[in-house]
Amino acid sequence: MNTPGEAQHYTLALLVKLFEHLPLSVIVQILYDIVCQLHQSCIKWGFLKPYMSCTTFSISIFHAFSHQWPCQIIYHLCKTIGYGLLDGEGAERLWHSLSQLIAYGQVAGFHVRMYHLNSQLEFANEEGLFKLGGWLRCKLFACNAKWMEATQVLASCRFEEQVLYNEWEKQVQVQTKPLPCMFLSLTL
């Protein structure tokens, strides 16, 4: 990568390479800052066409609110089926943990930079494994609490789940359709 900005061709090339190594029965969930643009490009230009049936697209929690309302309705992580309570910020946390190496890495040689990155990643991996049990326990309690709350809310609303899904689909259709064109007629 030698240009600034988000270039879709890098993402598409990585995804094609990933799909070459996966069976078509695997569902790939793509979390990307500008996934709405990537998804529309895939639809319009046929990118990833053989893999679209086993792919879902979503925007991480942090980036979702900088998008327009229709993007939030369609691609927000909490509104996309299959992502659970994921926030999609794992890579951001990883880069933050490595940020202390940026200044040093700019002046270090290639091999020294790779050694330090590798050492830092190994340390983070060992530390993460050591704390994994407590993290899983905390997440399990949080999931159970959310499940209980959602079950109570669903039971109290007096509607079947399928009716709610259908209403949500109608709401998405209405709130994502193009706005009518308003022409200003000037009469002289």
Side-chain angles (χ1 to χ4, degrees):
M1 293 185 206
N2 55 11
T3 58
E6 306 265 352
Q8 284 185 12
H9 59 275
Y10 294 125
T11 305
L12 291 167
L14 285 170
L15 288 170
V16 167
K17 203 50 135 170
L18 173 70
F19 279 116
E20 288 175 3
H21 298 285
L22 295 174
L24 286 177
S25 60
V26 172
I27 303 293
V28 174
Q29 297 175 315
I30 300 171
L31 283 167
Y32 185 43
D33 300 352
I34 51 172
V35 83
C36 49
Q37 292 177 10
L38 179 70
H39 187 216
Q40 291 305 312
S41 294
C42 289
I43 292 169
K44 183 175 181 178
W45 302 106
F47 301 138
L48 305 176
K49 191 172 188 172
Y51 315 111
M52 289 296 283
S53 62
C54 59
T55 306
T56 63
F57 297 86
S58 192
I59 301 172
S60 63
I61 298 290
F62 179 74
H63 290 93
F65 295 108
S66 63
H67 286 253
Q68 293 177 357
W69 182 245
C71 291
Q72 290 183 36
I73 288 177
I74 296 171
Y75 299 107
H76 192 284
L77 203 54
C78 294
K79 295 174 175 66
T80 310
I81 294 174
Y83 290 89
L85 298 177
L86 185 69
D87 66 2
E89 298 298 332
E92 303 286 343
R93 283 190 279 279
L94 172 66
W95 290 123
H96 177 70
S97 73
L98 298 174
S99 64
Q100 69 218 23
L101 300 176
I102 292 173
Y104 176 75
Q106 290 174 340
V107 295
F110 174 78
H111 296 290
V112 172
R113 184 171 44 247
M114 290 296 112
Y115 171 77
H116 282 259
L117 278 171
N118 189 45
S119 297
Q120 188 69 32
L121 289 170
E122 280 184 31
F123 172 77
N125 188 38
E126 288 175 17
E127 187 179 36
L129 286 174
F130 180 73
K131 296 177 179 179
L132 184 61
W135 180 83
L136 282 172
R137 184 175 187 269
C138 180
K139 292 295 181 182
L140 177 65
F141 286 136
C143 285
N144 284 338
K146 292 269 188 190
W147 178 261
M148 297 287 285
E149 180 185 353
T151 304
Q152 289 173 351
V153 168
L154 193 57
S156 70
C157 79
R158 302 181 328 261
F159 290 104
E160 293 292 322
E161 201 169 330
Q162 190 57 46
V163 171
L164 296 174
Y165 277 122
N166 293 340
E167 290 300 315
W168 171 249
E169 287 298 322
K170 290 177 188 174
Q171 182 178 348
V172 169
Q173 288 175 1
V174 167
Q175 293 189 6
T176 57
K177 69 180 180 183
L179 294 173
C181 215
M182 304 297 266
F183 289 104
L184 208 57
S185 63
L186 297 175
T187 54
L188 298 174

